[in-house]
Amino acid sequence: MTVRRIGLVVHGGRGEALDAARTVRAWCAENAVQCTDIDVWRDGGRHSAREEVESAGDPDLIVTVGGDGTFLRGARLAAEHDALVLGVDLGRVGFLTEVPVTVVRAALDAVQEERLTVESRMLLTLRASRTLEVPSGVQELMRYGRGPLLPPPRIRTECEAGGDWGIALNVAALNDVVVEKLARDRQVSVGVYLAGRLLASYSADALLVATPTGSTAYSFAAGGPVVSPRAEALIFTPVAPHMAFNRSVVAAPDEPIALRVLERSGQAAVSIDGQLRGVLDPGDWIGVYAAPRRLRAVRLGPTDFYGRLRERMNLTDAPAAVADGTPAPLWPVTTPPPGDLAHLALPPGPGDEPETR
């Protein structure tokens, strides 16, 4: 693709991120590409994704420099404008970023010369019984990071509203949607519906719905399964529920998950990709489902998700498994697959990694 405009989202609290951002700006100047810094906290105000991408001139490519949190900020912008997103990796345990900071220039050259693949990632969106709002007292209590909270989601006016289906919200969650308690001394009580049928009523610290991409984030910390980002599914996980059934449920991508705050519950916060975006009262509900649009992430070569899982989670081999020998070697496939296996997704062989990796 021909990149004409780049939007740059930088973790401003890290010196190495600022250095990498300067490299991106220098590359843009050398290649006559417009580059605009996008700052969620610009001018101390709260800005929607639409306002941010418009201020950046509707970029073709969003480049994030930081960890997974910075990538999520960029993904929110890219999803709003259907732009590509490229993550420069400065994180410690993340799974979303793609490019090591040492090869930023080579990565941008590869994108400009179309030596890339575009990976489609599932996003979540919402319908709700009413618009989401954040009371001022809660906003101050749950102030996020170095700036104010993001604004509540707008209504998608092009969608039908009313009746039993509520209103459609302009939301694109790459990781998860979470309904959680506001008060430490009172759990949230929520009825959970899968594909229009009541699964159970939970009393818990939180209830979350994750994408496969988000399965290694909050869902994983809450005991949920690790799911390949290439899969299509919604993962429901309760957090510290007061009931015997505390397991995750993996639903099909066309099976929506609804969360209704019950009559005797306290207020519940709605967080989207880790950002507080509204508060629900008893009787309110949200429905979480696969969004019709997708995130388009730049990939410069095959993504070794399971190798990264082993590395980032510091997985070790069971002592009993290697008591009488050595740990199992890695399994690099060095020969072409047989015909009946040619359709499988397998890791590249030694020496097959692109230079930009």
Side-chain angles (χ1 to χ4, degrees):
M1 64 172 292
T2 301
V3 178
R4 297 183 178 88
R5 296 175 301 278
I6 284 179
L8 187 57
V9 181
V10 183
H11 190 309
R14 301 184 61 177
E16 55 199 321
L18 298 176
D19 291 340
R22 282 190 282 270
T23 300
V24 175
R25 295 188 195 100
W27 182 93
C28 289
E30 294 164 11
N31 290 271
V33 173
Q34 175 186 326
C35 182
T36 304
D37 283 70
I38 304 176
D39 187 354
V40 172
W41 316 122
R42 183 181 66 254
D43 302 326
R46 297 162 61 183
H47 305 280
S48 69
R50 181 71 263 169
E51 291 170 331
E52 288 165 1
V53 295
E54 286 177 352
S55 70
D58 289 334
D60 312 301
L61 174 69
I62 302 290
V63 176
T64 72
V65 185
D68 278 5
T70 309
F71 186 88
L72 287 171
R73 287 171 55 190
R76 184 172 64 90
L77 308 177
E80 177 71 26
H81 188 58
D82 196 31
L84 295 176
V85 60
L86 172 68
V88 177
D89 185 16
L90 291 172
R92 297 179 178 87
V93 295
F95 288 83
L96 298 176
T97 49
E98 162 75 3
V99 176
V101 69
T102 53
V103 296
V104 172
R105 280 183 170 273
L108 292 171
D109 287 338
V111 173
Q112 189 78 303
E113 297 164 9
E114 299 189 10
R115 292 183 285 110
L116 77 162
T117 58
V118 177
E119 183 177 83
S120 176
R121 290 286 184 100
M122 179 180 176
L123 298 168
L124 300 176
T125 192
L126 298 180
R127 278 182 175 256
S129 55
R130 61 173 177 85
T131 56
L132 295 183
E133 298 176 352
V134 181
S136 58
V138 174
Q139 177 178 333
E140 293 303 317
L141 179 66
M142 302 186 72
R143 194 175 182 86
Y144 179 83
R146 62 182 177 88
L149 299 172
L150 293 174
R154 304 188 313 275
I155 295 175
R156 286 187 283 142
T157 55
E158 76 279 8
C159 298
E160 296 180 20
D164 298 329
W165 299 98
I167 57 174
L169 300 180
N170 191 38
V171 165
L174 178 60
N175 267 357
D176 49 45
V177 175
V178 180
V179 173
E180 55 192 323
K181 68 180 184 179
L182 277 176
R184 288 190 62 190
D185 62 347
R186 188 171 187 180
Q187 290 193 310
V188 65
S189 297
V190 176
V192 177
Y193 300 77
L194 272 74
R197 296 291 182 270
L198 178 66
L199 174 69
S201 294
Y202 289 80
S203 178
D205 282 357
L207 296 309
L208 66 92
V209 181
T211 64
T213 297
S215 70
T216 51
Y218 189 5
S219 178
F220 176 83
V226 174
V227 180
S228 167
R230 301 177 65 242
E232 296 285 311
L234 278 70
I235 302 108
F236 164 73
T237 301
V239 181
H242 275 202
M243 59 190 298
F245 185 76
N246 62 355
R247 304 301 178 90
S248 297
V249 177
V250 180
D254 59 353
E255 295 177 331
I257 299 177
L259 308 171
R260 181 185 294 275
V261 181
L262 301 180
E263 179 183 359
R264 296 184 180 276
S265 174
Q267 286 184 309
V270 178
S271 296
I272 299 168
D273 282 348
Q275 291 272 2
L276 175 68
R277 303 297 297 276
V279 172
L280 299 177
D281 294 318
D284 293 337
W285 59 265
I286 60 170
V288 185
Y289 55 99
R293 54 182 166 170
R294 315 274 296 189
L295 181 72
R296 300 194 301 142
V298 171
R299 292 291 179 249
L300 303 178
T303 299
D304 184 10
F305 172 73
Y306 301 106
R308 183 172 290 191
L309 178 67
R310 178 180 174 90
E311 173 190 350
R312 294 293 173 94
M313 297 300 177
N314 294 316
L315 301 184
T316 57
D317 304 305
V322 297
D324 298 322
T326 58
L330 298 178
W331 182 42
V333 179
T334 58
T335 59
D340 62 318
L341 301 180
H343 64 290
L344 300 181
L346 295 173
D352 290 345
E353 294 285 347
E355 292 181 3
T356 50
R357 296 284 288 172

